């Protein structure tokens, strides 16, 4: 079973994402900030990560940059989740090594389409 880490400072967003992903038969883990997310990755590197683009202390792009430096950090597919289209933030996320961007709010159809685009539903 593939594992997806959800990194977001909003418990509501984490809950929505977890319910959708578990309904699609993914194993999930959660982190409420980027540092906790990096610690989780050091313990067990997930197959994919959905990370909030704007969080206190460390934003999504900085998280991705640090993740990619870790042993095995090049493997997870990373989607930076943003609440608005911000070209500078999008470019920064892409430059840091994010695989894709997704906008909030999302629902089951949007998240399913995104993970299908990334090839996570196949296999």
């Amino acid at each position: 079973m593939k594992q997806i880490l959800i990194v977001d400072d909003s418990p509501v967003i984490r809950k929505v994402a977890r319910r959708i992903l578990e309904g699609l038969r993914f194993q999930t883990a959660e982190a409420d900030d980027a540092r906790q997310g990096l610690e989780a990755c050091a313990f067990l590197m997930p197959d994919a990560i959905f990370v909030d683009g704007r969080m206190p202390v460390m934003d999504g792009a900085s998280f991705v940059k640090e993740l990619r430096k870790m042993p095995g950090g090049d493997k997870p597919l990373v989607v930076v989740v943003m609440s608005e289209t911000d070209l500078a933030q999008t470019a920064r996320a892409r430059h840091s090594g994010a695989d894709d961007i997704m906008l909030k709010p999302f629902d089951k159809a949007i998240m399913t389409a995104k993970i299908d685009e990334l090839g996570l539903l196949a296999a």
Side-chain angles (χ1 to χ4, degrees):
M1 183 179 288
K2 291 184 181 177
Q3 176 153 13
I4 299 179
L5 175 64
I6 305 156
V7 183
D8 200 300
D9 59 324
S10 167
V12 173
I13 295 295
R14 290 194 315 269
K15 182 178 181 179
V16 169
R18 184 183 74 241
R19 284 189 175 171
I20 292 168
L21 292 167
E22 287 178 354
L24 295 169
R25 301 187 187 266
F26 288 98
Q27 185 177 11
T28 62
E30 297 179 33
D32 61 13
D33 65 40
R35 291 275 176 225
Q36 193 180 72
L38 291 170
E39 289 171 9
C41 290
F43 179 71
L44 177 65
M45 196 62 73
D47 297 295
I49 302 168
F50 284 84
V51 60
D52 186 10
R54 293 184 195 252
M55 290 181 287
V57 182
M58 181 187 293
D59 66 8
S62 298
F63 169 87
V64 177
K65 197 172 195 177
E66 291 301 312
L67 171 76
R68 296 303 190 205
K69 294 178 189 175
M70 296 173 68
D74 58 329
K75 301 215 182 326
L77 295 169
V78 181
V79 177
V80 175
V81 184
M82 298 187 282
S83 56
E84 59 189 35
T85 303
D86 178 333
L87 294 179
Q89 186 183 16
T90 299
R92 201 165 158 261
R94 291 280 191 185
H95 183 71
S96 70
D99 295 289
D100 211 342
I101 307 297
M102 186 171 80
L103 291 177
K104 296 179 196 177
F106 53 83
D107 59 17
K108 183 177 180 180
I110 293 168
M111 185 166 268
T112 301
K114 184 59 65 183
I115 61 176
D116 190 32
E117 280 177 32
L118 293 169
L120 290 168
L121 288 179

